[in-house]
Amino acid sequence: MDPDVLEFLAEKQRVNIIPTINSNVIHLISGDVGPFRAGLPVQVPLWMAVNLKQQQKCKIQAPDWMDVDVLETIKDREKVSRNFIKMPSEHYMVEAKLLLSAAPDDIPRTDEIRTIIKDIWDMRMSKLRASVDSMMKESGSYAAVDNLTIMEINSIRPILPHALDQLYRLKKAARMHGSTQSQNTTTFNSRLTITPFKS
Amino acid sequence: MGINLLPVRYGHYEGHTDICFSDDGDKLLSCGADGEVRIWNGFDDDDPLQNCIGEFALCIKHKGEHIFVGTNTNLVQQLTYPNGDRNGILTRFTAHVNHMYISEAHNWIALASEDMTVKVMEISTKETKTFTINGPPLSVSLCKNLKNLAVSCGDGKLKIFNIEDQSLIKEISVVAKANSFENAKELCRIDFDQKYNKYFAYPDGNKISILNISDWNEAFTLSTDAIDSNYSLVCFSPCGNYVAASTLDGNIAVWLLRSQTIVGFEKQSDIAITSLAWNPKGNGELAFADAQGNVGMATNCTETGADEDDGDIPDEEGAIEEQNYESENIDFGDVQIEAEDDDEDNENAVSLEKLKKEIMGPLEPELEAIEAAASRSPSPRARSVTPEIPLQPAFMPSSTPEHLDPRYMCYNEVGIIRCYGCNLDDDDDGTRSIEVEFHDSQIHSSMMIRNYKGYTMGSISTAALAVANNTVIHVVPLGSSSEEWHLVLEDDEEIVCIAASHNLICLATANYFVHVSTIFGIQKAVISVPGPILTMSAIGMVLIIAYHSTSTRKGDQCVETMLVKFEGTTIENRDMKVALKPGSKLQWLGFTDVGTPAMMDSTGMVYLHPLQCNLWIPFCDTKKHHKSPSDGFFMTAIYESLGTIRGIRCKGSLYPGFTPRPTLTEIEFQPPFLEIGTGKSQYESSLFTMSTLQIEGMEKKYQEIALKSFALAMKNNLEKRAVEFMEMLGNPQLLNLAVKYASKFDKRRLVEKLMDVASKIDADADPPTFNGSSVSTPSTNVIKPNKKLLLESTSKILNKSKSQVSTPTQGTPSSSMINNTPSTSIISTPGNITLSDISILQDEPKNPFLKSLKKTQTSAFNPLSLTDKFAGIEKENDSVKSEKRKQPDSSPSEKNKEKQRKLDRFMFSKRN
């Protein structure tokens, strides 16, 4: 999956907006939204919030966690903890990106928030890479990682499973070493570049 | 042995100094040119209590719990006794008070001020009589029975007035002329005999003249050869037997009145004596103060007289005793009353004394006397005069107070007017601005106005923005902002409140006038309001004005309202009283969206005034929604059609802040029925709400709740109540449902009774008694639900429900959609179409799948409806379709696999 798809998924997340229009209930496949009463907060999907904001038809209320102080504590905890800590939102990166770009005037201290979220992201990614690295070095074949968000998982998605896959095959090949060369020639061929290191 | 003069001691700076004894004679009180009040614990006290109350103080007197001091600030300051703490102001003058006089016998005080007025005032009630004289008064005196007032005046006259009719009784030219109190040499202090109420004494050159009060003729004069300077002060002893006088050169002389013989005289120094005071104990102590600020004391002023005349002793002693006894008695009573009063005033205070009294019965008299004496000497708490509760000042609804910056000028259903920098100085006006924001951006976009004129009031409607300060109102019509206009008031008028509606701009002035204009500035009307205007609000052509009808009634604000309609060129009015909770103030006044007058009081109760009921009904207690008692609810609008109140919950304050941006919340109406926690009361209160207000689309809800209520009564075997309930509602349709419901539960008697009720109602020739539909019809302002749409959808549902009811299986999703109400079970009776379609009607707007449901209904067969959960539901027993329904489950997994394969291929290809 690529980030666009994830963004699409994240757009189902609900956020609070203050509409500046009056409108009846909007019936959608995923459920009803509204009614919209000017000035009164209402919950809508993220994509609709962004869309309405672009049309200047609402003000977006930042989610509770999108606050400098809250994020600062999350960042500190993330720094101290060896493991990943639970993020306030499964799609925090997408939400932050969309909301901060769509409604910088509705959310106070956008720049700081953006920086902190980026920091958190970097921290988590380096943590993730480090743990993958150690796993590889210790030639472990599996590891349990909690509290990763889908975007983070996705960032190591193509490379890690494939790397593990390759390792597995190499190991398998090594185990078979000595016996007759294996069945799958294509695989074997494709591994040819790597095998010298291993054997 | 004559008068024994103790050495004087320093009291105050040089200047006019006044001295008096406390009522009980234990303490000396003095004030002087340094503005200090000193409380001497006896003449030997080296460390008197002192309190600075001004630049100078001219006179001091004590009565009961208060010390009264005339100061340079033109007022009579009250201090507590004996602590000397400031405790309010007795009265004010336009110039300083020269002299005052308090008689022991009554509670009146005479005050002479440099502004040539003399006031005679009752201390506690402040009932006042004012006398005007023609010069600066030097001295005043009151007689014992409060009949006469004597004033010595700088114009040379000594005047005696009758207090009752304020007529002049006698005028004597005896006073040395002076143009002001400061310049007067002779103070001409005069005195009435307070004991026998027989004589009046005044200094007359180098003798003292004594007048008979009865005929105002001179009885005799007192003088002595030893003193030839002019007398300045005269003072009767509290026993009434002696007269003390002092001269300008510091002589003090005492005469025995009866024999008109001098008891003794003594000279301290050459300094003029400015004040003389006898000790009320009657022990012959005479305190004085001189123009150097010294305080002195003469003792033994009476005893020699007693030695000379034996016959006086018992008489005098008796008099003294009597006096002591009297004063004790008075004090005793005072203290007791105060203690009781205190407890009664403050219900929450737990008084140990009171508890004791209640439990142990009344104390023994001796104990009580001791207690009274004990409680008198240390610190009898000053009884604070309960301040009058002032009329609530005028305010603008939904605005925050003016001392806040930034503040909300208006926060109503249309928009928000914010005001920045309103408290800045005039030269800073560059930073003062007004920001207008509309909830609905389709009405108008946001505006920003420079607030050069310091507008403090604002009102916004769908047609205009109005802002005003005290003299100018400025209106911006939203339709064409180029046609701005303003009105300037005349000099003697002042705007206290404004209101804007879709058609009107109204402004109320301090002269109790309300001026009404149209949006584009045609002055339409001016009306007069019978009282000080408190606030007002407008909707459409209607204006509501709240005003004070009378002064406060034991802390309650007496507010009334006028509902004025300005249709075309006509004016119609309707008066309405206002029902506020005890002691509360009006906090919000306005209209609901359908035009019902509404208000909120300071206890957070919201009232509506449905016009057909013509009374105020409490509809919501916003306090109940608070988390802590210090929270407030800042009301912005009421939506009657939705049954909600809209406002901002303010944590720990009454008013919303600016950052973070406050969020509006909605509170539902819930009339404060008793035992509101129970389901029964909740049903009843919501029935009450729906039957009195015009809530949009509430017919179904009304029927649902009515049936629930009925079912509740029936289930609890309260048949009479159930019948009574149906009788009360008198709705044949509901009755029909109730009968069916009851018969289902086999309540034969109930059914019979209900049938009786039904026949009675039928006999009443179907008068349109209350039912849901009749209520939602009136009023032009209601946002009508889209009837057509509603009908369409219901008819579709109806079709469906018919088919459903006819099917034997009842566990279909459609019946689970119906609320878990007692009425749902009725559905199982086949053929009961009316009932089932009602219950479906009830749930129709809540069903989020309505649209998809309809779709599957209308299109005969839609193979593409994979996402629709209810596809094929209506024929669930049809195996073919149920198979179809399974299909979506299987197909996505296949799809996924394929996807995965594709992805794999993609990955590999990438690799390669």
Side-chain angles (χ1 to χ4, degrees):
Chain A
M1 284 195 277
D2 49 26
D4 291 345
V5 182
L6 291 179
E7 193 176 296
F8 176 77
L9 290 178
E11 278 177 343
K12 288 203 173 65
Q13 213 78 350
R14 295 211 155 210
V15 291
N16 273 322
I17 61 162
I18 301 171
T20 56
I21 47 158
N22 283 308
S23 161
N24 279 334
V25 181
I26 300 175
H27 303 282
L28 302 170
I29 297 171
S30 55
D32 291 0
V33 178
F36 297 91
R37 307 207 183 283
L40 206 65
V42 63
Q43 270 207 339
V44 299
L46 183 57
W47 59 265
M48 187 184 271
V50 172
N51 190 281
L52 285 174
K53 179 68 197 175
Q54 281 163 353
Q55 296 177 52
Q56 299 282 326
K57 282 182 179 168
C58 77
K59 290 186 190 64
I60 293 178
Q61 280 187 313
D64 291 337
W65 57 267
M66 209 176 278
D67 175 83
V68 174
D69 294 337
V70 177
L71 288 171
E72 207 68 70
T73 54
I74 290 173
K75 186 178 156 188
D76 291 343
R77 282 174 56 210
E78 186 71 58
K79 209 180 273 176
V80 173
S81 164
R82 274 192 70 238
N83 299 321
F84 295 97
I85 63 158
K86 186 154 173 62
M87 292 310 283
S89 161
E90 179 66 13
H91 301 281
Y92 74 98
M93 202 60 195
V94 180
E95 276 182 56
K97 190 171 162 280
L98 286 176
L99 290 184
L100 292 178
S101 60
D105 48 337
D106 295 340
I107 301 168
R109 302 160 82 180
T110 34
D111 289 338
E112 287 171 62
I113 290 173
R114 199 173 277 141
T115 319
I116 295 173
I117 288 181
K118 187 80 173 70
D119 286 350
I120 294 173
W121 169 264
D122 288 346
M123 221 181 288
R124 287 169 75 94
M125 288 312 291
S126 67
K127 220 184 250 182
L128 184 61
R129 259 183 246 120
S131 60
V132 166
D133 186 51
S134 70
M135 188 183 96
M136 286 296 186
K137 277 187 179 140
E138 291 160 20
S139 60
S141 52
Y142 62 90
V145 187
D146 286 341
N147 294 335
L148 272 183
T149 65
I150 193 162
M151 194 65 150
E152 288 155 349
I153 294 171
N154 196 53
S155 67
I156 54 160
R157 198 50 164 310
I159 179 94
L160 183 64
H162 284 286
L164 287 173
D165 218 15
Q166 302 290 26
L167 275 178
Y168 171 70
R169 283 172 200 183
L170 288 175
K171 274 181 193 162
K172 210 162 129 192
R175 245 184 280 137
M176 288 179 176
H177 194 72
S179 67
T180 48
Q181 289 296 312
S182 91
Q183 323 77 349
N184 195 339
T185 47
T186 51
T187 347
F188 189 75
N189 287 340
S190 66
R191 290 304 135 332
L192 269 181
T193 43
I194 313 173
T195 33
F197 293 103
K198 195 75 189 174
S199 49
Chain B
M1 183 60 215
I3 298 171
N4 180 19
L5 211 58
L6 302 176
V8 294
R9 50 189 304 167
Y10 172 79
H12 298 272
Y13 289 172
E14 186 181 335
H16 182 88
T17 312
D18 200 31
I19 192 164
C20 75
F21 276 98
S22 63
D23 286 352
D24 51 12
D26 287 340
K27 299 193 181 191
L28 271 170
L29 315 168
S30 69
C31 68
D34 49 5
E36 302 255 357
V37 169
R38 295 208 161 81
I39 302 174
W40 310 74
N41 217 339
F43 186 65
D44 302 328
D45 188 6
D46 287 328
D47 188 20
L49 209 68
Q50 49 190 344
N51 186 4
C52 183
I53 54 158
E55 281 173 24
F56 62 83
L58 289 178
C59 47
I60 185 164
K61 280 281 182 281
H62 172 235
K63 178 92 186 176
E65 295 131 16
H66 284 121
I67 303 168
F68 303 99
V69 188
T71 70
N72 64 309
T73 47
N74 304 345
L75 43 85
V76 179
Q77 179 79 44
Q78 291 189 68
L79 305 177
T80 59
Y81 177 81
N83 293 333
D85 300 325
R86 286 177 195 234
N87 188 24
I89 287 161
L90 182 70
T91 184
R92 286 170 198 278
F93 287 93
T94 50
H96 54 76
V97 178
N98 294 337
H99 188 223
M100 50 187 163
Y101 190 93
I102 298 181
S103 166
E104 281 226 348
H106 43 73
N107 207 20
W108 290 71
I109 187 170
L111 303 155
S113 165
E114 185 76 7
D115 61 6
M116 303 190 196
T117 56
V118 174
K119 280 185 185 173
V120 180
M121 180 184 273
E122 219 284 336
I123 291 173
S124 48
T125 62
K126 300 203 173 177
E127 181 189 339
T128 307
K129 287 195 165 141
T130 306
F131 300 82
T132 310
I133 47 175
N134 299 325
L138 303 175
S139 168
V140 286
S141 185
L142 286 170
C143 79
K144 188 185 178 187
N145 55 10
L146 208 63
K147 256 174 90 177
N148 302 312
L149 167 79
V151 184
S152 65
C153 183
D155 65 354
K157 299 277 171 28
L158 171 62
K159 293 172 181 178
I160 295 163
F161 293 95
N162 185 335
I163 293 178
E164 186 70 37
D165 52 12
Q166 304 203 357
S167 60
L168 188 68
I169 297 172
K170 192 173 172 72
E171 199 175 64
I172 309 164
S173 295
V174 70
V175 188
K177 287 194 177 176
N179 59 0
S180 77
F181 181 75
E182 282 91 348
N183 297 332
K185 264 175 98 183
E186 291 176 26
L187 295 176
C188 198
R189 289 278 147 93
I190 48 184
D191 201 10
F192 278 99
D193 164 21
Q194 296 295 324
K195 176 74 183 170
Y196 303 113
N197 199 21
K198 203 168 155 194
Y199 295 122
F200 169 69
Y202 65 91
D204 183 5
N206 63 355
K207 59 184 196 291
I208 307 292
S209 291
I210 308 286
L211 297 186
N212 237 330
I213 289 180
S214 50
D215 54 5
W216 301 109
N217 285 329
E218 189 172 288
F220 46 88
T221 61
L222 301 169
S223 64
T224 175
D225 297 337
I227 301 170
D228 56 358
S229 57
N230 282 350
Y231 288 99
S232 168
L233 289 80
V234 171
C235 190
F236 278 97
S237 74
C239 60
N241 293 329
Y242 298 92
V243 170
S246 69
T247 65
L248 288 173
D249 55 359
N251 274 307
I252 295 173
V254 179
W255 286 268
L256 178 65
L257 211 56
R258 182 176 303 172
S259 61
Q260 301 167 27
T261 54
I262 186 149
V263 174
F265 62 88
E266 204 66 47
K267 181 165 173 153
Q268 172 64 40
S269 61
D270 281 342
I271 306 159
I273 305 282
T274 55
S275 179
L276 268 183
W278 287 90
N279 191 327
K281 278 180 178 165
N283 56 6
E285 282 184 345
L286 182 67
F288 62 89
D290 66 24
Q292 286 290 343
N294 294 319
V295 174
M297 173 82 90
T299 56
N300 254 351
C301 297
T302 54
E303 269 174 18
T304 30
D307 281 346
E308 275 180 7
D309 193 342
D310 290 2
D312 269 352
I313 298 173
D315 194 53
E316 196 196 325
E317 295 247 301
I320 291 165
E321 258 177 36
E322 195 186 1
Q323 189 132 24
N324 272 347
Y325 177 67
E326 261 178 27
S327 70
E328 191 114 353
N329 239 358
I330 290 164
D331 278 353
F332 174 64
D334 256 357
V335 167
Q336 211 180 24
I337 286 167
E338 183 199 312
E340 277 176 13
D341 254 4
D342 236 342
D343 285 353
E344 276 159 16
D345 286 351
N346 190 351
E347 282 181 345
N348 295 329
V350 178
S351 158
L352 205 60
E353 246 58 49
K354 203 174 179 181
L355 282 177
K356 267 191 205 160
K357 260 183 220 163
E358 273 173 14
I359 294 165
M360 299 175 9
L363 298 169
E364 280 142 306
E366 298 96 315
L367 275 179
E368 242 174 309
I370 291 168
E371 197 180 87
S375 66
R376 184 185 54 194
S377 46
S379 67
R381 248 181 305 151
R383 178 196 301 220
S384 57
V385 184
T386 36
E388 282 234 340
I389 288 152
L391 291 182
Q392 188 186 355
F395 68 98
M396 294 283 298
S398 328
S399 69
T400 56
E402 276 180 37
H403 61 266
L404 297 177
D405 184 17
R407 65 180 275 254
Y408 293 102
M409 276 181 171
C410 182
Y411 198 137
N412 63 10
E413 69 275 16
V414 178
I416 309 165
I417 308 179
R418 295 189 184 86
C419 175
Y420 296 95
C422 51
N423 291 342
L424 294 176
D425 294 336
D426 283 342
D427 40 337
D428 274 342
D429 56 7
T431 51
R432 289 193 290 189
S433 61
I434 294 173
E435 191 185 287
V436 188
E437 188 188 310
F438 294 85
H439 292 312
D440 191 340
S441 53
Q442 287 161 349
I443 296 176
H444 200 276
S445 54
S446 297
M447 280 194 267
M448 188 91 168
I449 305 172
R450 277 296 184 73
N451 191 5
Y452 291 118
K453 290 192 176 163
Y455 297 122
T456 55
M457 288 168 272
S459 185
I460 188 170
S461 75
T462 45
L465 163 75
V467 284
N469 59 16
N470 285 342
T471 50
V472 184
I473 183 167
H474 183 89
V475 179
V476 184
L478 300 180
S480 78
S481 349
S482 58
E483 290 189 49
E484 289 181 23
W485 54 275
H486 62 266
L487 283 174
V488 182
L489 265 70
E490 279 158 33
D491 288 340
D492 57 336
E493 291 207 90
E494 189 187 338
I495 302 179
V496 295
C497 191
I498 60 171
S501 77
H502 194 77
N503 306 90
L504 302 175
I505 302 287
C506 312
L507 65 96
T509 70
N511 296 354
Y512 309 170
F513 282 177
V514 174
H515 296 264
V516 181
S517 314
T518 61
I519 294 297
F520 291 97
I522 304 164
Q523 288 201 46
K524 204 169 179 180
V526 54
I527 59 172
S528 181
V529 177
I533 292 159
L534 179 57
T535 189
M536 59 182 191
S537 179
I539 186 172
M541 297 284 189
V542 185
L543 172 70
I544 188 167
I545 308 162
Y547 61 93
H548 292 285
S549 56
T550 63
S551 60
T552 53
R553 168 193 63 208
K554 281 185 190 164
D556 296 355
Q557 304 283 341
C558 298
V559 180
E560 290 187 21
T561 53
M562 297 164 71
L563 194 67
V564 195
K565 193 174 183 186
F566 299 92
E567 189 94 64
T569 52
T570 61
I571 305 178
E572 260 177 75
N573 178 38
R574 174 167 177 176
D575 281 323
M576 304 187 300
K577 304 255 185 211
V578 165
L580 288 171
K581 274 198 191 172
S584 65
K585 291 178 173 178
L586 191 65
Q587 207 161 51
W588 190 87
L589 182 76
F591 292 91
T592 68
D593 54 339
V594 300
T596 308
M599 65 170 183
M600 182 169 85
D601 67 16
S602 54
T603 66
M605 186 63 85
V606 177
Y607 306 84
L608 262 67
H609 190 285
L611 291 175
Q612 74 273 19
C613 308
N614 197 20
L615 45 73
W616 289 98
I617 300 172
F619 265 108
C620 185
D621 191 358
T622 57
K623 269 259 151 57
K624 283 202 176 141
H625 299 265
H626 293 166
K627 286 195 185 94
S628 85
S630 58
D631 291 359
F633 186 73
F634 182 77
M635 192 157 146
T636 60
I638 294 192
Y639 286 83
E640 188 179 335
S641 56
L642 305 172
T644 55
I645 295 159
R646 200 171 287 184
I648 300 164
R649 277 186 199 149
C650 312
K651 210 174 174 188
S653 75
L654 272 180
Y655 303 105
F658 266 67
T659 47
R661 193 188 159 85
T663 48
L664 286 173
T665 45
E666 281 189 320
I667 295 181
E668 296 225 349
F669 289 163
Q670 188 171 56
F673 271 43
L674 297 177
E675 291 184 0
I676 196 69
T678 63
K680 173 177 165 281
S681 298
Q682 276 168 10
Y683 292 149
E684 285 161 0
S685 75
S686 35
L687 278 180
F688 176 68
T689 308
M690 286 189 274
S691 47
T692 41
L693 298 181
Q694 309 167 8
I695 294 172
E696 194 181 306
M698 56 104 202
E699 300 95 324
K700 313 143 211 171
K701 194 122 191 270
Y702 180 80
Q703 284 178 333
E704 181 192 315
I705 289 175
L707 270 184
K708 273 185 193 170
S709 244
F710 171 79
L712 196 72
M714 201 190 79
K715 277 196 179 147
N716 293 335
N717 286 323
L718 297 166
E719 295 195 353
K720 291 272 188 202
R721 182 186 285 175
V723 173
E724 185 185 54
F725 186 72
M726 279 299 149
E727 255 176 340
M728 184 183 91
L729 297 182
N731 185 331
Q733 202 182 1
L734 270 177
L735 199 61
N736 209 7
L737 297 178
V739 167
K740 272 162 192 159
Y741 186 61
S743 61
K744 180 162 178 294
F745 281 86
D746 218 17
K747 304 260 184 188
R748 299 245 170 81
R749 286 189 49 194
L750 183 61
V751 171
E752 269 175 38
K753 279 179 194 161
L754 287 174
M755 288 306 210
D756 287 349
V757 176
S759 56
K760 214 183 282 173
I761 290 172
D762 283 342
D764 283 354
D766 60 310
T769 50
F770 177 77
N771 77 27
S773 57
S774 75
V775 158
S776 75
T777 40
S779 134
T780 49
N781 289 340
V782 194
I783 309 153
K784 289 238 168 78
N786 192 342
K787 276 273 161 60
K788 197 180 155 199
L789 204 130
L790 204 74
L791 281 174
E792 221 168 42
S793 62
T794 50
S795 67
K796 273 168 197 164
I797 302 270
L798 266 178
N799 289 338
K800 182 182 154 99
S801 72
K802 266 179 204 162
S803 67
Q804 217 155 40
V805 168
S806 58
T807 52
T809 48
Q810 277 304 315
T812 52
S814 83
S815 83
S816 71
M817 268 157 35
I818 293 158
N819 272 359
N820 200 10
T821 63
S823 63
T824 52
S825 52
I826 313 169
I827 238 175
S828 57
T829 53
N832 180 11
I833 290 161
T834 46
L835 194 54
S836 59
D837 65 48
I838 280 161
S839 47
I840 283 178
L841 257 174
Q842 284 162 13
D843 296 301
E844 176 267 325
K846 284 187 195 134
N847 182 0
F849 306 107
L850 177 68
K851 217 150 195 176
S852 50
L853 200 81
K854 275 194 286 187
K855 223 167 213 167
T856 52
Q857 280 290 297
T858 46
S859 60
F861 174 63
N862 186 1
L864 295 175
S865 65
L866 294 179
T867 51
D868 187 1
K869 285 183 201 165
F870 294 106
I873 259 177
E874 76 262 55
K875 286 172 190 169
E876 206 162 33
N877 40 4
D878 191 339
S879 59
V880 184
K881 277 187 186 161
S882 66
E883 244 179 22
K884 204 97 203 172
R885 216 174 138 232
K886 270 179 198 160
Q887 230 174 7
D889 293 334
S890 57
S891 70
S893 62
E894 276 174 28
K895 227 177 186 175
N896 277 350
K897 269 181 205 162
E898 203 176 21
K899 234 182 192 171
Q900 195 63 48
R901 259 205 306 278
K902 270 184 195 164
L903 200 71
D904 283 351
R905 210 177 301 145
F906 167 74
M907 294 301 179
F908 278 113
S909 66
K910 211 173 173 187
R911 266 265 144 133
N912 296 334

